[in-house]
Amino acid sequence: LEAFVNKKPMGLKDAPQIWLAATLCIAGVGVLELYDPTGAGLDTGWGDVLSILQAVGFGTSFFLTERMMRGQPEQALPITAVQVSVSALVCFFWCLADGWIGQPGSESLGIPFMFLD
C-alpha cells in the first residue's frame, strides 16, 4: 500500500525487513488456516476468504491511521475513539443478525456464564 499510495520504493533491497515480516505473516496465517491435523487434505471455504479479507482490512486501517496521525498528531484520541466505536457498532449488529440471541442455551454465552459455567 505504501508503494502505491505514497510512491515509496518498497523493493527487496529498499525494505528487506518489511518483506521478511510479510513473508512470516503469510506463512503464519497459512499454517493457522490451512493446517489440517486429521490429514484429510486441503479444506478451504468462505471462512478462509473472510480471514484474508479481514487481514487486508486490518492492515489498511493501520496504514490509513498512520497517515492521519502523521498529518495531525493531536487527533490521536479522537481517531482511536472513532475506530473503536465503529468496531463496537459493527460487532453489535453482527451479534444481533447472527441469530443466537434468545435461543435455548445462549444464556451460557454471556460474560458471567462464560467464566462461571
Side-chain angles (χ1 to χ4, degrees):
L1 210 53
E2 185 84 29
F4 294 118
V5 176
N6 294 338
K7 307 292 187 238
K8 184 177 176 183
M10 298 298 290
L12 187 58
K13 291 182 181 179
D14 299 320
Q17 70 278 11
I18 292 176
W19 285 98
L20 176 64
T23 303
L24 289 173
C25 287
I26 290 171
V29 169
V31 167
L32 289 173
E33 289 295 321
L34 302 176
Y35 175 69
D36 184 14
T38 63
L42 189 63
D43 185 26
T44 59
W46 283 109
D48 299 318
V49 173
L50 288 175
S51 70
I52 294 294
L53 289 176
Q54 185 274 334
V56 170
F58 186 76
T60 302
S61 73
F62 263 75
F63 175 76
L64 295 175
T65 301
E66 180 185 353
R67 285 189 70 193
M68 286 188 287
M69 299 276 198
R70 206 178 306 140
Q72 299 175 335
E74 69 279 356
Q75 295 296 317
L77 185 59
I79 289 171
T80 304
V82 168
Q83 285 180 331
V84 170
S85 300
V86 169
S87 178
L89 188 66
V90 168
C91 290
F92 173 73
F93 286 119
W94 187 284
C95 181
L96 289 177
D98 199 25
W100 62 266
I101 296 177
Q103 300 295 321
S106 66
E107 58 275 353
S108 67
L109 298 174
I111 295 291
F113 293 104
M114 288 172 66
F115 296 112
L116 300 174
D117 215 9

